[in-house]
Structures are given as structure tokens and as C-alpha cells.
Amino acid sequence: MIKCVKTDSPTTAAAASIDLDACRDRFSEVTAAIAGRFPRVEPRRHATAFLRALMAGPSRANCWTLAEHAGYRSPDAFQYLLAQSVWDHDGLRDDLRTFVVDHLGRDRAVLVLDETGDVKKGVHTVGVQRQYTGTAGRIENAQVAVYAVWAGRRSAAFIDRELYVPRSWTADPARCAAAGLPEDLVFATKPALALRIVQRTVAADAVPGFVTGDEVYGNDPRLRAGLEQLGIGYVLAVASTATVALATGPVGAAVLAAGLPEESWQLRSAGQGSKGQRWYQWAYLSLEERPPAGGGRYLLIRRNRTTGELAFYRCWTPARATLAELVRVAGTRWRVEEAFQTGKVLTALDEHQVRRYTSWARWTVLAMLAHAFLTVLAAEQPAPEEDTGMIALTRNETAHLLAALLFTHHHPEQHRWAWSAWRRRHQLRARHCHYQRQQTRMQHPAPLQHRRPSQNTSAKGR
């Protein structure tokens, strides 16, 4: 589908060609596969246009900019698609999972769990509160969601997500109802949401070889127990203060690491990064005096070759696993960071400007589908010949080329002027509404009320 041109010319040797017809056919296959999720033809057409506009790479992505790029006269169609139109976004999520698993492969696949936060203003966006988010690296007014990335041999892409709804929301049914959350919603921690995603994935007959995640997930015993019940091995990071149960009693992970002889450490790569192989020293030890046949529990330890800094992983395997296999799984966790970065940059995963739950669910699943489409295109390309002097087309470069050659529309000048007039009229109406509300509040001030206690939290796992 995506092919490099081999030539003796230095100029053309530095270029790559894309089979646009094949890319159009593949995009048509994807949209045809999800067509059954839309009972009516209009939302199906709008969803297709929405996907094309997302992959066109606008500098800012919202219903206004996407609709202008798609050639619509206003954002009404896209806003209706996200908020009110009748279609099955959960079913489309299932189609997304099938597409990713089938094209990226099941062999030695790892399901990577992690959360990301989107900084928001105000208090009305669903799930928002002041909480820790790794995006900002501190406590911010943010919306947080747990994502799952399917990491195959060639690449990795999103297959599912769950919105984290804090206790400050679940304790307020009226607030949840106003945001369109289900009536029977109860509070769930991030590890509980992650287990829900894994169970849904297994029920769809997409069973990964391993699950991995950071300390939020490794420190939760219920998630680990749930994975063991499903028969799925895991390599989950835990805090350096974690204790592990031995036959002689609980022992600190750091204490066990300090007692290891030097010959226990092996130099192994955690995978190839942007600057080469990521080399660390690794050791592991069984946590069971008599492990069951074939598998068991392990403590995997990583040591930085320069600083000596240690990192720890709880592991469970239903079948015997070598140190090399556990290191491979632990090193796969970086794939989710790459997915977040490319998903936010290439398909606007974090740029939704919606308040209600349904709109959030639909924006994210369409953004994940666009990201998966670009990922599969890049993964299926043939490797360039050695004498071309080029690396293979990456997902970012594939997205850049398709945005310029396939998904860009050249609209007449009148279209741009019409949108300028539409924005200015809308902004004037919004200004008048803001001024009117401000004047009303000044004339009829509301009685003073006691502020609700803050729900701030710095604990990522809550």
C-alpha cells in the first residue's frame, strides 16, 4: 500500500510514494465495516467526514474547524453527530478493537494500561475536578480517562477507554444526570476501570499474551487477582516501598534487591527507543517456594546502569516465562506513551470541547479509530531497500503525507469568507448572552452559600 521508490537519482531516492488509490480503498473498507453502527445514512456520512477531517491535521480540532475543513456551512452536523444523533458508539468501539487486533496481530501481543488527563476549565465538563494528571505533572482541573493499547509485533494502537468519574461526581446524582452519565453509575477506581476493559477485551475473544501497566495498576491487588482469574499473565510496576509475601513472611522489594549477588544481574534491552536500544540491568526471583507447574509469581527488578536506580515489577505467568520474556513485556509499556503523544498530535484525542458523556465517548472513539487507521497503514508498509538512504515511513510521516495528499480539501474563497462571517456572528451572540447574564446576576445576586469541600486528590489511583 505504501511503497518506497528505488532509483539512482539522489533527488527521487529521498522521496517515497504513496498508493493513494489503495489508501482510499482501505479507508472505504474501514468505513464500510462500521456502517452497521449507524441506522441512518446521514450520521454515517457525517462520521466519515469527521474521520477525514480529523486526519487532515488541523492545527486546532473542534467541531468548528473540522466542519469548515469538511466543507459544511456550520458545525451543526458534527455537533449533532456527537451529542444527539442515534448510533452505537459502543459497537463502533468493538469494531475498532477487531480492526486493531486483526491487523496488528495476536502473537505475543501485550495489552498496555495507562491513564491520561486533559486540562479543562470550569466545573461542568463530565468527570472534571482538581486532580493529579501526568499531562501537567501536577494537580490541575482536569478530566482523566483510562486507556488500553494493543501492542503487537509491528506497532500499537488504542482499542478501548473508560472515563474516570471521581467520587465528587458519583456522590451527586443531579450533576451526573446533567452530564448524561448513567443513572446506575457507581464510583470505580482506575484499576477497576482497567479490569473492566480487560474483561471486555477477553469477552470479545481478543486475549493478550500479557498485561502491563505502571504503579497505579501494579499496586492494586484486585486487578492482579482479576487478571489471574482470567488466566492472563502480567508484568505490573509497583512502588519501591512494596512488600512481597514469601514463605518466611512479608519482605520489602528493596530489601530483596539489596541481597542479590552481582551475578544475578543481566544486561538486557527493554526495547528500541528513539535514540537506540534501552539497556538496563535486570534480575528476577521467584516469590513462591514451590511454584505451580508451568508458571508462578516473580519479582522483576530493573537497575539503571549509570545511577543504580531501581524499579520493581510484580509478575504472574500461567506458563513458564524467561527473564527475556518478562523484560520484553516490561519494555512494552513505553508504547502507550507513544500512542498518547501521536493520538493527541495526529488525531486530536485530547482536543474535544464537549461537556456531556455521550459526546466525550463518541469523540474519543472516532479519534482512536482515526489513529488506528494511520497506525495500520504505517505498519503494513514494506521496508525500504537498504540503498535508499531512508528509514521506513513512520506513523507521523504517513499521517503528514495523507493529510496533504488525500484528506485535504481546497475550498473556494467564498467558503472561507462565509465561515468567517459565521464565527463572528456566533461570537457576537455569545458576547451578548454573557453580558446579559452578568447584568442579571448584578441586579439579582444569589444568596451566599457555603462552598462544597474540595475534592482535590494527588493519588493517581483513586
Side-chain angles (χ1 to χ4, degrees):
M1 181 176 300
I2 302 176
K3 54 189 179 182
C4 296
V5 177
K6 183 178 179 181
T7 175
D8 295 331
S9 169
T11 302
T12 54
S17 68
I18 292 184
D19 187 342
L20 294 181
D21 290 335
C23 291
R24 289 190 187 96
D25 291 343
R26 173 53 65 87
F27 184 69
S28 297
E29 292 173 7
V30 171
T31 54
I34 65 173
R37 306 302 180 181
F38 300 87
R40 294 177 57 85
V41 66
E42 292 87 355
R44 183 163 69 246
R45 289 174 178 169
H46 296 327
T48 300
F50 192 93
L51 288 169
R52 292 176 62 93
L54 273 179
M55 290 186 285
S59 56
R60 291 186 59 193
N62 54 50
C63 285
W64 289 21
T65 59
L66 296 179
E68 181 179 5
H69 179 274
Y72 291 98
R73 299 176 63 182
S74 77
D76 295 349
F78 283 172
Q79 291 173 343
Y80 189 79
L81 173 73
L82 297 176
Q84 301 179 48
S85 181
V86 177
W87 58 282
D88 184 6
H89 52 266
D90 286 340
L92 195 150
R93 174 205 62 206
D94 297 338
D95 295 337
L96 162 68
R97 181 198 305 115
T98 300
F99 175 73
V100 171
V101 172
D102 287 350
H103 287 85
L104 297 187
R106 300 168 182 261
D107 184 32
R108 304 180 73 195
V110 178
L111 190 66
V112 191
L113 305 170
D114 202 1
E115 77 278 355
T116 188
D118 302 327
V119 177
K120 298 291 180 182
K121 296 181 179 179
V123 297
H124 300 293
T125 300
V126 59
V128 71
Q129 76 164 14
R130 286 189 59 79
Q131 56 191 320
Y132 178 84
T133 169
T135 304
R138 59 183 181 273
I139 295 176
E140 283 283 357
N141 200 59
Q143 177 191 64
V144 175
V146 177
Y147 284 80
V149 165
W150 185 272
R153 284 179 176 270
R154 296 176 295 177
S155 193
F158 298 105
I159 63 167
D160 208 341
R161 78 280 177 260
E162 283 280 350
L163 180 66
Y164 173 68
V165 183
R167 293 184 188 274
S168 60
W169 278 76
T170 56
D172 191 342
R175 191 182 188 191
C176 289
L181 288 164
E183 293 183 1
D184 58 350
L185 180 71
V186 295
F187 174 74
T189 64
K190 294 163 192 170
L193 296 176
L195 182 58
R196 188 180 303 171
I197 290 174
V198 177
Q199 291 169 337
R200 196 156 54 218
T201 303
V202 172
D205 195 28
V207 183
F210 280 91
V211 168
T212 188
D214 64 15
E215 296 177 11
V216 170
Y217 308 96
N219 289 336
D220 190 277
R222 287 167 292 188
L223 172 61
R224 300 197 306 269
L227 293 174
E228 292 178 20
Q229 290 175 1
L230 293 170
I232 301 175
Y234 58 76
V235 178
L236 297 169
V238 294
S240 59
T241 56
T243 59
V244 294
L246 299 179
T248 56
V251 180
V255 174
L256 288 174
L260 290 176
E262 193 61 31
E263 58 267 23
S264 298
W265 298 94
Q266 297 185 32
L267 183 64
R268 292 187 178 273
S269 171
Q272 186 172 358
S274 59
K275 298 181 180 179
Q277 298 291 334
R278 294 173 292 138
W279 294 101
Y280 292 94
Q281 293 173 322
W282 299 84
Y284 81 137
L285 50 91
S286 175
L287 299 180
E288 296 173 302
E289 185 176 0
R290 296 178 180 176
R297 304 179 192 280
Y298 306 92
L299 179 68
L300 177 66
I301 311 169
R302 187 191 73 196
R303 185 169 71 179
N304 187 292
R305 293 185 298 158
T306 303
T307 65
E309 181 183 5
L310 300 177
F312 302 90
Y313 303 82
R314 282 185 180 270
C315 310
W316 179 82
T317 60
R320 186 174 301 278
T322 64
L323 174 63
E325 181 72 355
L326 297 180
V327 169
R328 180 189 72 84
V329 176
T332 306
R333 191 161 64 87
W334 69 271
R335 293 285 192 92
V336 73
E337 300 297 338
E338 179 191 43
F340 281 141
Q341 181 182 15
T342 55
K344 293 179 179 182
V345 171
L346 301 180
T347 61
L349 183 65
D350 63 334
E351 293 191 34
H352 51 85
Q353 296 181 3
V354 296
R355 288 185 174 181
R356 292 173 61 84
Y357 174 75
T358 298
S359 299
W360 175 87
R362 291 178 170 181
W363 179 289
T364 53
V365 76
L366 289 169
M368 290 192 301
L369 180 58
H371 179 268
F373 176 75
L374 296 172
T375 300
V376 169
L377 281 184
E380 291 183 342
Q381 65 181 294
E385 300 291 340
E386 293 184 2
D387 57 352
T388 58
M390 298 182 294
I391 65 169
L393 279 169
T394 63
R395 177 169 40 200
N396 289 44
E397 185 64 21
T398 300
H400 176 74
L401 290 170
L402 293 185
L405 301 175
L406 186 61
F407 295 125
T408 293
H409 296 284
H410 300 285
H411 299 294
E413 193 175 298
Q414 294 84 347
H415 177 73
R416 303 301 183 187
W417 283 114
W419 263 94
S420 175
W422 186 92
R423 284 192 294 269
R424 288 150 58 197
R425 285 195 299 268
H426 182 89
Q427 290 162 353
L428 179 61
R429 289 195 300 269
R431 181 186 299 176
H432 287 165
C433 290
H434 288 315
Y435 288 169
Q436 187 174 13
R437 282 198 296 269
Q438 184 182 53
Q439 186 175 11
T440 301
R441 285 197 297 266
M442 293 180 65
Q443 293 176 349
H444 306 283
L448 293 176
Q449 297 179 348
H450 294 292
R451 293 186 62 187
R452 181 179 299 173
S454 173
Q455 297 292 330
N456 297 358
T457 176
S458 59
K460 292 179 65 184
R462 292 182 182 173

PDB file of all heavy atoms in Angstrom, residues 182-210:
ATOM      1  N   PRO A 182     -24.794   7.484  33.209  1.00  0.00           N
ATOM      2  CA  PRO A 182     -25.845   6.502  33.531  1.00  0.00           C
ATOM      3  C   PRO A 182     -26.364   6.671  34.956  1.00  0.00           C
ATOM      4  O   PRO A 182     -25.621   7.039  35.874  1.00  0.00           O
ATOM      5  CB  PRO A 182     -25.131   5.156  33.356  1.00  0.00           C
ATOM      6  CG  PRO A 182     -23.961   5.445  32.472  1.00  0.00           C
ATOM      7  CD  PRO A 182     -23.546   6.845  32.780  1.00  0.00           C
ATOM      8  N   GLU A 183     -27.634   6.361  35.146  1.00  0.00           N
ATOM      9  CA  GLU A 183     -28.247   6.504  36.458  1.00  0.00           C
ATOM     10  C   GLU A 183     -27.649   5.544  37.482  1.00  0.00           C
ATOM     11  O   GLU A 183     -27.584   5.862  38.675  1.00  0.00           O
ATOM     12  CB  GLU A 183     -29.763   6.271  36.353  1.00  0.00           C
ATOM     13  CG  GLU A 183     -30.503   7.328  35.553  1.00  0.00           C
ATOM     14  CD  GLU A 183     -31.992   7.080  35.537  1.00  0.00           C
ATOM     15  OE1 GLU A 183     -32.431   6.084  36.166  1.00  0.00           O
ATOM     16  OE2 GLU A 183     -32.723   7.860  34.903  1.00  0.00           O
ATOM     17  N   ASP A 184     -27.237   4.362  37.045  1.00  0.00           N
ATOM     18  CA  ASP A 184     -26.721   3.353  37.962  1.00  0.00           C
ATOM     19  C   ASP A 184     -25.209   3.450  38.162  1.00  0.00           C
ATOM     20  O   ASP A 184     -24.586   2.520  38.684  1.00  0.00           O
ATOM     21  CB  ASP A 184     -27.077   1.954  37.461  1.00  0.00           C
ATOM     22  CG  ASP A 184     -26.539   1.683  36.055  1.00  0.00           C
ATOM     23  OD1 ASP A 184     -26.058   2.637  35.407  1.00  0.00           O
ATOM     24  OD2 ASP A 184     -26.598   0.528  35.608  1.00  0.00           O
ATOM     25  N   LEU A 185     -24.619   4.581  37.793  1.00  0.00           N
ATOM     26  CA  LEU A 185     -23.175   4.732  37.899  1.00  0.00           C
ATOM     27  C   LEU A 185     -22.730   4.708  39.354  1.00  0.00           C
ATOM     28  O   LEU A 185     -23.313   5.371  40.210  1.00  0.00           O
ATOM     29  CB  LEU A 185     -22.737   6.050  37.242  1.00  0.00           C
ATOM     30  CG  LEU A 185     -21.243   6.354  37.284  1.00  0.00           C
ATOM     31  CD1 LEU A 185     -20.487   5.420  36.357  1.00  0.00           C
ATOM     32  CD2 LEU A 185     -20.979   7.808  36.900  1.00  0.00           C
ATOM     33  N   VAL A 186     -21.690   3.951  39.641  1.00  0.00           N
ATOM     34  CA  VAL A 186     -21.062   3.941  40.955  1.00  0.00           C
ATOM     35  C   VAL A 186     -19.579   4.245  40.776  1.00  0.00           C
ATOM     36  O   VAL A 186     -19.019   4.069  39.693  1.00  0.00           O
ATOM     37  CB  VAL A 186     -21.244   2.576  41.661  1.00  0.00           C
ATOM     38  CG1 VAL A 186     -22.708   2.317  41.954  1.00  0.00           C
ATOM     39  CG2 VAL A 186     -20.657   1.446  40.829  1.00  0.00           C
ATOM     40  N   PHE A 187     -18.960   4.686  41.850  1.00  0.00           N
ATOM     41  CA  PHE A 187     -17.548   5.045  41.766  1.00  0.00           C
ATOM     42  C   PHE A 187     -16.701   3.818  41.481  1.00  0.00           C
ATOM     43  O   PHE A 187     -16.916   2.735  42.028  1.00  0.00           O
ATOM     44  CB  PHE A 187     -17.084   5.690  43.069  1.00  0.00           C
ATOM     45  CG  PHE A 187     -15.611   5.951  43.112  1.00  0.00           C
ATOM     46  CD1 PHE A 187     -15.057   7.000  42.377  1.00  0.00           C
ATOM     47  CD2 PHE A 187     -14.761   5.142  43.858  1.00  0.00           C
ATOM     48  CE1 PHE A 187     -13.685   7.234  42.398  1.00  0.00           C
ATOM     49  CE2 PHE A 187     -13.400   5.373  43.886  1.00  0.00           C
ATOM     50  CZ  PHE A 187     -12.865   6.426  43.151  1.00  0.00           C
ATOM     51  N   ALA A 188     -15.710   3.983  40.597  1.00  0.00           N
ATOM     52  CA  ALA A 188     -14.759   2.921  40.272  1.00  0.00           C
ATOM     53  C   ALA A 188     -13.367   3.528  40.195  1.00  0.00           C
ATOM     54  O   ALA A 188     -13.177   4.590  39.590  1.00  0.00           O
ATOM     55  CB  ALA A 188     -15.119   2.242  38.954  1.00  0.00           C
ATOM     56  N   THR A 189     -12.400   2.861  40.799  1.00  0.00           N
ATOM     57  CA  THR A 189     -11.015   3.322  40.729  1.00  0.00           C
ATOM     58  C   THR A 189     -10.466   3.086  39.332  1.00  0.00           C
ATOM     59  O   THR A 189     -11.059   2.373  38.509  1.00  0.00           O
ATOM     60  CB  THR A 189     -10.141   2.563  41.743  1.00  0.00           C
ATOM     61  OG1 THR A 189     -10.117   1.177  41.380  1.00  0.00           O
ATOM     62  CG2 THR A 189     -10.682   2.715  43.154  1.00  0.00           C
ATOM     63  N   LYS A 190      -9.320   3.655  39.060  1.00  0.00           N
ATOM     64  CA  LYS A 190      -8.696   3.456  37.753  1.00  0.00           C
ATOM     65  C   LYS A 190      -8.326   1.991  37.516  1.00  0.00           C
ATOM     66  O   LYS A 190      -8.557   1.476  36.413  1.00  0.00           O
ATOM     67  CB  LYS A 190      -7.475   4.376  37.612  1.00  0.00           C
ATOM     68  CG  LYS A 190      -7.861   5.850  37.578  1.00  0.00           C
ATOM     69  CD  LYS A 190      -6.695   6.761  37.850  1.00  0.00           C
ATOM     70  CE  LYS A 190      -7.182   8.186  38.093  1.00  0.00           C
ATOM     71  NZ  LYS A 190      -6.111   9.053  38.591  1.00  0.00           N
ATOM     72  N   PRO A 191      -7.767   1.271  38.503  1.00  0.00           N
ATOM     73  CA  PRO A 191      -7.533  -0.162  38.271  1.00  0.00           C
ATOM     74  C   PRO A 191      -8.825  -0.934  38.010  1.00  0.00           C
ATOM     75  O   PRO A 191      -8.822  -1.880  37.202  1.00  0.00           O
ATOM     76  CB  PRO A 191      -6.855  -0.620  39.568  1.00  0.00           C
ATOM     77  CG  PRO A 191      -6.190   0.606  40.098  1.00  0.00           C
ATOM     78  CD  PRO A 191      -7.127   1.727  39.760  1.00  0.00           C
ATOM     79  N   ALA A 192      -9.929  -0.555  38.668  1.00  0.00           N
ATOM     80  CA  ALA A 192     -11.199  -1.235  38.414  1.00  0.00           C
ATOM     81  C   ALA A 192     -11.671  -0.969  36.987  1.00  0.00           C
ATOM     82  O   ALA A 192     -12.206  -1.867  36.316  1.00  0.00           O
ATOM     83  CB  ALA A 192     -12.253  -0.767  39.424  1.00  0.00           C
ATOM     84  N   LEU A 193     -11.495   0.253  36.506  1.00  0.00           N
ATOM     85  CA  LEU A 193     -11.838   0.561  35.114  1.00  0.00           C
ATOM     86  C   LEU A 193     -10.953  -0.232  34.158  1.00  0.00           C
ATOM     87  O   LEU A 193     -11.420  -0.718  33.115  1.00  0.00           O
ATOM     88  CB  LEU A 193     -11.682   2.059  34.865  1.00  0.00           C
ATOM     89  CG  LEU A 193     -12.610   2.985  35.643  1.00  0.00           C
ATOM     90  CD1 LEU A 193     -12.259   4.444  35.367  1.00  0.00           C
ATOM     91  CD2 LEU A 193     -14.069   2.724  35.308  1.00  0.00           C
ATOM     92  N   ALA A 194      -9.673  -0.365  34.502  1.00  0.00           N
ATOM     93  CA  ALA A 194      -8.757  -1.130  33.655  1.00  0.00           C
ATOM     94  C   ALA A 194      -9.176  -2.596  33.580  1.00  0.00           C
ATOM     95  O   ALA A 194      -9.156  -3.208  32.500  1.00  0.00           O
ATOM     96  CB  ALA A 194      -7.331  -1.011  34.195  1.00  0.00           C
ATOM     97  N   LEU A 195      -9.580  -3.174  34.716  1.00  0.00           N
ATOM     98  CA  LEU A 195     -10.029  -4.564  34.713  1.00  0.00           C
ATOM     99  C   LEU A 195     -11.293  -4.714  33.877  1.00  0.00           C
ATOM    100  O   LEU A 195     -11.464  -5.723  33.171  1.00  0.00           O
ATOM    101  CB  LEU A 195     -10.271  -5.038  36.146  1.00  0.00           C
ATOM    102  CG  LEU A 195     -10.708  -6.500  36.309  1.00  0.00           C
ATOM    103  CD1 LEU A 195      -9.681  -7.444  35.704  1.00  0.00           C
ATOM    104  CD2 LEU A 195     -10.946  -6.820  37.783  1.00  0.00           C
ATOM    105  N   ARG A 196     -12.161  -3.734  33.934  1.00  0.00           N
ATOM    106  CA  ARG A 196     -13.373  -3.756  33.115  1.00  0.00           C
ATOM    107  C   ARG A 196     -12.999  -3.811  31.627  1.00  0.00           C
ATOM    108  O   ARG A 196     -13.612  -4.542  30.841  1.00  0.00           O
ATOM    109  CB  ARG A 196     -14.222  -2.524  33.418  1.00  0.00           C
ATOM    110  CG  ARG A 196     -15.588  -2.504  32.793  1.00  0.00           C
ATOM    111  CD  ARG A 196     -16.320  -1.224  33.169  1.00  0.00           C
ATOM    112  NE  ARG A 196     -16.427  -1.060  34.622  1.00  0.00           N
ATOM    113  CZ  ARG A 196     -16.871   0.063  35.206  1.00  0.00           C
ATOM    114  NH1 ARG A 196     -17.215   1.111  34.461  1.00  0.00           N
ATOM    115  NH2 ARG A 196     -16.965   0.123  36.521  1.00  0.00           N
ATOM    116  N   ILE A 197     -11.997  -3.045  31.231  1.00  0.00           N
ATOM    117  CA  ILE A 197     -11.553  -3.050  29.834  1.00  0.00           C
ATOM    118  C   ILE A 197     -10.988  -4.423  29.463  1.00  0.00           C
ATOM    119  O   ILE A 197     -11.285  -4.963  28.388  1.00  0.00           O
ATOM    120  CB  ILE A 197     -10.493  -1.952  29.613  1.00  0.00           C
ATOM    121  CG1 ILE A 197     -11.143  -0.563  29.708  1.00  0.00           C
ATOM    122  CG2 ILE A 197      -9.793  -2.127  28.274  1.00  0.00           C
ATOM    123  CD1 ILE A 197     -10.153   0.582  29.637  1.00  0.00           C
ATOM    124  N   VAL A 198     -10.169  -5.007  30.345  1.00  0.00           N
ATOM    125  CA  VAL A 198      -9.575  -6.310  30.064  1.00  0.00           C
ATOM    126  C   VAL A 198     -10.662  -7.365  29.923  1.00  0.00           C
ATOM    127  O   VAL A 198     -10.626  -8.208  29.005  1.00  0.00           O
ATOM    128  CB  VAL A 198      -8.564  -6.695  31.159  1.00  0.00           C
ATOM    129  CG1 VAL A 198      -8.011  -8.094  30.903  1.00  0.00           C
ATOM    130  CG2 VAL A 198      -7.420  -5.694  31.231  1.00  0.00           C
ATOM    131  N   GLN A 199     -11.638  -7.340  30.815  1.00  0.00           N
ATOM    132  CA  GLN A 199     -12.728  -8.322  30.751  1.00  0.00           C
ATOM    133  C   GLN A 199     -13.507  -8.183  29.451  1.00  0.00           C
ATOM    134  O   GLN A 199     -13.897  -9.184  28.838  1.00  0.00           O
ATOM    135  CB  GLN A 199     -13.647  -8.139  31.959  1.00  0.00           C
ATOM    136  CG  GLN A 199     -13.006  -8.538  33.283  1.00  0.00           C
ATOM    137  CD  GLN A 199     -13.820  -8.102  34.490  1.00  0.00           C
ATOM    138  OE1 GLN A 199     -14.618  -7.160  34.420  1.00  0.00           O
ATOM    139  NE2 GLN A 199     -13.629  -8.782  35.617  1.00  0.00           N
ATOM    140  N   ARG A 200     -13.721  -6.954  29.027  1.00  0.00           N
ATOM    141  CA  ARG A 200     -14.439  -6.714  27.774  1.00  0.00           C
ATOM    142  C   ARG A 200     -13.612  -7.227  26.584  1.00  0.00           C
ATOM    143  O   ARG A 200     -14.161  -7.781  25.634  1.00  0.00           O
ATOM    144  CB  ARG A 200     -14.719  -5.224  27.644  1.00  0.00           C
ATOM    145  CG  ARG A 200     -15.760  -4.849  26.626  1.00  0.00           C
ATOM    146  CD  ARG A 200     -16.390  -3.517  26.952  1.00  0.00           C
ATOM    147  NE  ARG A 200     -15.432  -2.445  27.131  1.00  0.00           N
ATOM    148  CZ  ARG A 200     -15.560  -1.487  28.044  1.00  0.00           C
ATOM    149  NH1 ARG A 200     -16.589  -1.464  28.861  1.00  0.00           N
ATOM    150  NH2 ARG A 200     -14.657  -0.531  28.139  1.00  0.00           N
ATOM    151  N   THR A 201     -12.311  -7.050  26.656  1.00  0.00           N
ATOM    152  CA  THR A 201     -11.432  -7.499  25.587  1.00  0.00           C
ATOM    153  C   THR A 201     -11.424  -9.024  25.493  1.00  0.00           C
ATOM    154  O   THR A 201     -11.511  -9.598  24.407  1.00  0.00           O
ATOM    155  CB  THR A 201     -10.007  -6.975  25.816  1.00  0.00           C
ATOM    156  OG1 THR A 201     -10.034  -5.545  25.909  1.00  0.00           O
ATOM    157  CG2 THR A 201      -9.080  -7.377  24.698  1.00  0.00           C
ATOM    158  N   VAL A 202     -11.335  -9.685  26.627  1.00  0.00           N
ATOM    159  CA  VAL A 202     -11.330 -11.154  26.650  1.00  0.00           C
ATOM    160  C   VAL A 202     -12.668 -11.697  26.161  1.00  0.00           C
ATOM    161  O   VAL A 202     -12.719 -12.690  25.428  1.00  0.00           O
ATOM    162  CB  VAL A 202     -11.005 -11.652  28.067  1.00  0.00           C
ATOM    163  CG1 VAL A 202     -11.188 -13.159  28.156  1.00  0.00           C
ATOM    164  CG2 VAL A 202      -9.576 -11.267  28.452  1.00  0.00           C
ATOM    165  N   ALA A 203     -13.763 -11.049  26.564  1.00  0.00           N
ATOM    166  CA  ALA A 203     -15.091 -11.491  26.127  1.00  0.00           C
ATOM    167  C   ALA A 203     -15.243 -11.399  24.614  1.00  0.00           C
ATOM    168  O   ALA A 203     -16.037 -12.142  24.021  1.00  0.00           O
ATOM    169  CB  ALA A 203     -16.171 -10.664  26.818  1.00  0.00           C
ATOM    170  N   ALA A 204     -14.478 -10.511  23.981  1.00  0.00           N
ATOM    171  CA  ALA A 204     -14.511 -10.372  22.525  1.00  0.00           C
ATOM    172  C   ALA A 204     -13.525 -11.308  21.837  1.00  0.00           C
ATOM    173  O   ALA A 204     -13.253 -11.146  20.646  1.00  0.00           O
ATOM    174  CB  ALA A 204     -14.217  -8.930  22.139  1.00  0.00           C
ATOM    175  N   ASP A 205     -12.984 -12.270  22.583  1.00  0.00           N
ATOM    176  CA  ASP A 205     -12.045 -13.253  22.041  1.00  0.00           C
ATOM    177  C   ASP A 205     -10.768 -12.593  21.530  1.00  0.00           C
ATOM    178  O   ASP A 205     -10.176 -13.024  20.553  1.00  0.00           O
ATOM    179  CB  ASP A 205     -12.700 -14.072  20.922  1.00  0.00           C
ATOM    180  CG  ASP A 205     -11.900 -15.334  20.596  1.00  0.00           C
ATOM    181  OD1 ASP A 205     -11.210 -15.831  21.506  1.00  0.00           O
ATOM    182  OD2 ASP A 205     -11.953 -15.780  19.437  1.00  0.00           O
ATOM    183  N   ALA A 206     -10.354 -11.539  22.221  1.00  0.00           N
ATOM    184  CA  ALA A 206      -9.076 -10.888  21.924  1.00  0.00           C
ATOM    185  C   ALA A 206      -8.229 -10.979  23.192  1.00  0.00           C
ATOM    186  O   ALA A 206      -8.186 -10.037  23.988  1.00  0.00           O
ATOM    187  CB  ALA A 206      -9.278  -9.445  21.491  1.00  0.00           C
ATOM    188  N   VAL A 207      -7.590 -12.116  23.387  1.00  0.00           N
ATOM    189  CA  VAL A 207      -6.866 -12.379  24.629  1.00  0.00           C
ATOM    190  C   VAL A 207      -5.388 -12.040  24.432  1.00  0.00           C
ATOM    191  O   VAL A 207      -4.711 -12.669  23.609  1.00  0.00           O
ATOM    192  CB  VAL A 207      -7.011 -13.849  25.052  1.00  0.00           C
ATOM    193  CG1 VAL A 207      -6.314 -14.089  26.385  1.00  0.00           C
ATOM    194  CG2 VAL A 207      -8.486 -14.230  25.143  1.00  0.00           C
ATOM    195  N   PRO A 208      -4.874 -11.065  25.164  1.00  0.00           N
ATOM    196  CA  PRO A 208      -3.450 -10.735  25.012  1.00  0.00           C
ATOM    197  C   PRO A 208      -2.583 -11.761  25.710  1.00  0.00           C
ATOM    198  O   PRO A 208      -3.028 -12.495  26.599  1.00  0.00           O
ATOM    199  CB  PRO A 208      -3.346  -9.371  25.698  1.00  0.00           C
ATOM    200  CG  PRO A 208      -4.416  -9.412  26.755  1.00  0.00           C
ATOM    201  CD  PRO A 208      -5.547 -10.216  26.149  1.00  0.00           C
ATOM    202  N   GLY A 209      -1.317 -11.800  25.325  1.00  0.00           N
ATOM    203  CA  GLY A 209      -0.385 -12.690  25.994  1.00  0.00           C
ATOM    204  C   GLY A 209      -0.057 -12.211  27.391  1.00  0.00           C
ATOM    205  O   GLY A 209       0.088 -13.010  28.329  1.00  0.00           O
ATOM    206  N   PHE A 210       0.057 -10.872  27.552  1.00  0.00           N
ATOM    207  CA  PHE A 210       0.378 -10.262  28.833  1.00  0.00           C
ATOM    208  C   PHE A 210      -0.360  -8.935  28.952  1.00  0.00           C
ATOM    209  O   PHE A 210      -0.785  -8.346  27.950  1.00  0.00           O
ATOM    210  CB  PHE A 210       1.887 -10.005  28.969  1.00  0.00           C
ATOM    211  CG  PHE A 210       2.703 -11.201  29.357  1.00  0.00           C
ATOM    212  CD1 PHE A 210       3.260 -12.017  28.384  1.00  0.00           C
ATOM    213  CD2 PHE A 210       2.931 -11.499  30.688  1.00  0.00           C
ATOM    214  CE1 PHE A 210       4.024 -13.117  28.718  1.00  0.00           C
ATOM    215  CE2 PHE A 210       3.698 -12.597  31.042  1.00  0.00           C
ATOM    216  CZ  PHE A 210       4.245 -13.408  30.059  1.00  0.00           C
TER     217      PHE A 210
END
